[in-house]
Amino acid sequence: MKHKIENKNEHCGNCGSHNAHQYPQKSFCMHRFLQGQTPIVDTLWRCEDWHQSEQECQCIEDAEKGARKRA
Amino acid sequence: MQRKDLLTEPVKHFRINSKLSVNQLIQQFQNSGSFGAGRLAVACDIYEKMARDKDCTIFLGLAGALVPAGMRSLIADLIRGGLINVVVSTGANMVHDSIEALGGHHYKGHWLMDDHVLYRYHVYRIYDVLVPEEDFVNLDYKMTAIYDDIADQSKGKTLSSCDFARELGKRLEDPDSILRAAYESNVPVFLPAVRDSELGYVHFLHSTRRKLAKKPPLLLDAFSDVAEIIGICRKSKKMGMIILGGGVPRNTIQSAALATKSGLDYAVVITMDRAETGGLSGSTLEETVSWGKVKGQASTVTVYGDAMIIFPIMAASLIERLDKNHKRPRPKNMEKLA
């Protein structure tokens, strides 16, 4: 998680490897899981292996709403 | 035959009152003897005959999304009560059993929900039942660790699907779990199409990770099930099957009965499939006799209806007919397997 890349358009929540984990804040990354890395990531994070998801979901919008509420 | 022989038993009309029990309603169905009510009453009688026959091994074939819809605890209770001796299931039903055993849930939805909305919220629909994606993910995550443990324990030994189901049941602590109840009751659970479910995907995750870690993966041999289930049939003096749905589980049970050249003594099929397409799920039990899978003199009935309605009624009627706290002893052949 320390290599966080700042890009508001590219997050785990719109990456093709993400699944819901603790919706919407946390996502489960199948790519990381297969690589033996920690699979549970912040939905608003991203790593260097980010790739666009084929279909849109609500993860980022809902995670951002949640983040705004907490702030 | 004379004309008067055709008209011996008049249809009796239903009389309903506020104290009618499930089995009393079934008796009324029997008095009618007509259409689906008559078939359901016969199915209840056949299940009672199986249960009272100490030599009968009772096979349950489970196909269709019955566990997500609420059938799980009932099947676990019947296993514990000795009223099911062998389970043959789709992998998917045991996936949903495991989802709940690992803390997940299935939710009431509606068949007219907007599936695009469900997709956007990572929620899956099974007709009118909903499953959150995180429960599948939780299953993948925890089940991969369970596969790792089984692979470590088995030390390269190849398992049958039945061995595999037993190993899963050993590691699931939920008493309402079918796999757990089967493990505790030493009831074999066969999963002939195990790879065609999330359990297959979990194997992909597990084996990919094991490859990276340079460790051998869990090995399953689908063919070894055949000898195991035929072995159970050979040791059974009598065999009965209850089929919920049909599909691969029904064929697995019937083919094993055929292999013993003795055929099933009792058969209840609950399906909504039709015979005309030639598919096994809708095939009539009369047709099954032609193969030798069911004896010509067997007690049989097909009930055309939703297994979610029919089977709980059959079970409730049976439990009412048996003695209070009835626990059916294991058939003698099953004792040898213990």
Side-chain angles (χ1 to χ4, degrees):
Chain A
M1 300 259 186
K2 57 187 173 184
H3 303 296
K4 185 170 175 176
I5 296 166
E6 291 300 332
N7 184 331
K8 54 184 174 181
N9 297 320
E10 296 178 0
H11 296 294
C12 293
N14 59 8
C15 171
S17 293
H18 91 287
N19 294 93
H21 184 64
Q22 286 164 20
Y23 185 90
Q25 278 79 30
K26 300 282 182 187
S27 293
F28 189 94
C29 176
M30 277 299 167
H31 176 72
R32 291 176 64 85
F33 185 55
L34 284 173
Q35 301 299 315
Q37 297 171 300
T38 309
I40 298 158
V41 292
D42 286 338
T43 300
L44 297 177
W45 187 61
R46 65 152 284 187
C47 75
E48 52 275 20
D49 291 329
W50 182 90
H51 58 284
Q52 182 69 54
S53 173
E54 293 296 321
Q55 290 192 58
E56 279 189 13
C57 64
Q58 292 295 120
C59 286
I60 292 178
E61 199 180 315
D62 287 354
E64 284 175 341
K65 271 186 210 165
R68 280 197 296 274
K69 263 188 194 171
R70 284 195 301 278
Chain B
M1 181 181 284
Q2 295 179 347
R3 187 172 184 274
K4 66 177 173 60
D5 298 326
L6 299 170
L7 304 169
T8 55
E9 200 175 343
V11 167
K12 288 182 188 161
H13 297 266
F14 300 145
R15 287 232 180 258
I16 304 293
N17 63 61
S18 61
K19 290 179 183 165
L20 203 68
S21 70
V22 173
N23 191 49
Q24 285 167 345
L25 182 63
I26 292 297
Q27 298 297 338
Q28 300 246 1
F29 286 179
Q30 195 170 48
N31 293 339
S32 150
S34 306
F35 308 154
R39 284 177 180 265
L40 176 52
V42 173
C44 292
D45 288 347
I46 295 174
Y47 195 12
E48 183 186 3
K49 277 189 200 171
M50 287 189 221
R52 292 192 188 281
D53 187 337
K54 287 174 184 157
D55 293 324
C56 180
T57 303
I58 304 175
F59 293 79
L60 177 74
L62 198 55
L66 300 168
V67 168
M71 196 76 91
R72 181 174 182 253
S73 307
L74 169 61
I75 293 171
D77 288 346
L78 292 173
I79 287 171
R80 289 185 200 282
L83 297 166
I84 295 169
N85 304 121
V86 179
V87 177
V88 183
S89 174
T90 57
N93 271 305
M94 294 307 106
V95 163
H96 290 281
D97 179 59
S98 304
I99 281 177
E100 296 226 3
L102 295 171
H105 297 285
H106 298 88
Y107 295 85
K108 293 179 194 173
H110 196 281
W111 60 86
L112 291 177
M113 293 178 90
D114 184 334
D115 291 288
H116 295 289
V117 170
L118 295 177
Y119 178 84
R120 290 179 70 88
Y121 284 110
H122 292 262
V123 175
Y124 305 148
R125 181 169 73 86
I126 309 167
Y127 192 58
D128 55 7
V129 175
L130 303 177
V131 199
E133 186 178 84
E134 41 274 61
D135 288 347
F136 268 96
V137 169
N138 184 47
L139 174 91
D140 294 342
Y141 193 33
K142 291 182 177 165
M143 202 53 102
T144 302
I146 290 175
Y147 279 34
D148 288 345
D149 189 40
I150 297 171
D152 290 339
Q153 298 281 315
S154 56
K155 293 176 184 164
K157 186 190 158 204
T158 303
L159 308 179
S160 66
S161 81
C162 190
D163 297 330
F164 172 60
R166 192 178 301 119
E167 293 296 328
L168 294 182
K170 194 193 288 185
R171 290 163 175 83
L172 298 174
E173 290 173 5
D174 178 6
D176 287 332
S177 160
I178 295 171
L179 286 166
R180 182 70 198 184
Y183 167 70
E184 287 178 359
S185 309
N186 200 27
V187 163
V189 178
F190 291 92
L191 306 171
V194 63
R195 61 147 298 278
D196 184 33
S197 69
E198 193 73 5
L199 293 173
Y201 181 64
V202 172
H203 191 271
F204 161 71
L205 298 173
H206 153 79
S207 57
T208 305
R209 286 163 55 93
R210 297 285 281 191
K211 200 173 177 182
L212 274 178
K214 294 189 169 62
K215 287 182 176 175
L218 168 66
L219 297 171
L220 276 186
D221 174 7
F223 291 110
S224 60
D225 280 351
V226 181
E228 264 183 79
I229 196 165
I230 289 174
I232 292 171
C233 291
R234 281 213 175 112
K235 287 176 188 163
S236 299
K237 277 192 181 171
K238 288 186 184 173
M239 293 178 283
M241 71 170 185
I242 298 170
I243 299 297
L244 311 186
V248 172
R250 178 175 170 186
N251 196 48
T252 298
I253 297 168
Q254 292 184 171
S255 295
L258 169 66
T260 62
K261 298 285 178 197
S262 52
L264 289 145
D265 300 88
Y266 308 96
V268 174
V269 172
I270 305 168
T271 187
M272 292 186 73
D273 289 334
R274 298 174 60 102
E276 292 88 339
T277 64
L280 181 107
S281 301
S283 65
T284 64
L285 285 162
E286 292 75 19
E287 179 184 320
T288 312
V289 171
S290 77
W291 291 77
K293 294 170 180 175
V294 171
K295 284 179 180 163
Q297 303 307 312
S299 301
T300 69
V301 71
T302 299
V303 186
Y304 294 96
D306 183 343
M308 281 302 295
I309 303 168
I310 307 296
F311 188 59
I313 293 174
M314 280 175 60
S317 169
L318 175 69
I319 287 163
E320 207 178 314
R321 292 178 193 198
L322 299 175
D323 302 334
K324 203 179 173 189
N325 301 323
H326 176 92
K327 187 167 178 359
R328 181 172 177 259
R330 286 170 75 83
K332 280 177 187 160
N333 66 307
M334 300 302 291
E335 281 169 11
K336 286 175 198 161
L337 290 172

